[in-house]
Amino acid sequence: MEELVRIGAAATALGVSADTLRRWERAGRVEFVRRGGQRFMAAETLSSLLRARSGGGHSSARNRLAGVVVGVEVDGVMAKVELACGPYRIVSLMSREAAEELALAPGAEATAVVKSTTVIIER
């Protein structure tokens, strides 16, 4: 059975209002399933929208170090990713799912985004 998400929860996840999602539906940008007078979005559709909206987002972090992945250790739900960024060695801990989604493997080009004590890896 398909997993469904209520319109309000989908709106919150996307950072928009339920009214915006209704306008998107009228414009043909999204499709809802109606059950008992309620609108529901397929979880897979919501996931696709979140991925599409996350690209090109702006971050206040200014410290970006381009580099190459030199090591990836995956253990259960976590991954440790090591980058060589010029003379610097950057290590980031992230979910295994994130590392797989970014296709992080030795030799892959990536960017370490450092803000305070947080290190984010981008591709």
Side-chain angles (χ1 to χ4, degrees), residues 85-107:
C85 302
Y88 306 105
R89 176 180 166 258
I90 305 290
V91 177
S92 178
L93 298 176
M94 65 180 66
S95 70
R96 176 186 192 144
E97 181 181 4
E100 289 172 353
E101 240 179 63
L102 291 169
L104 295 175

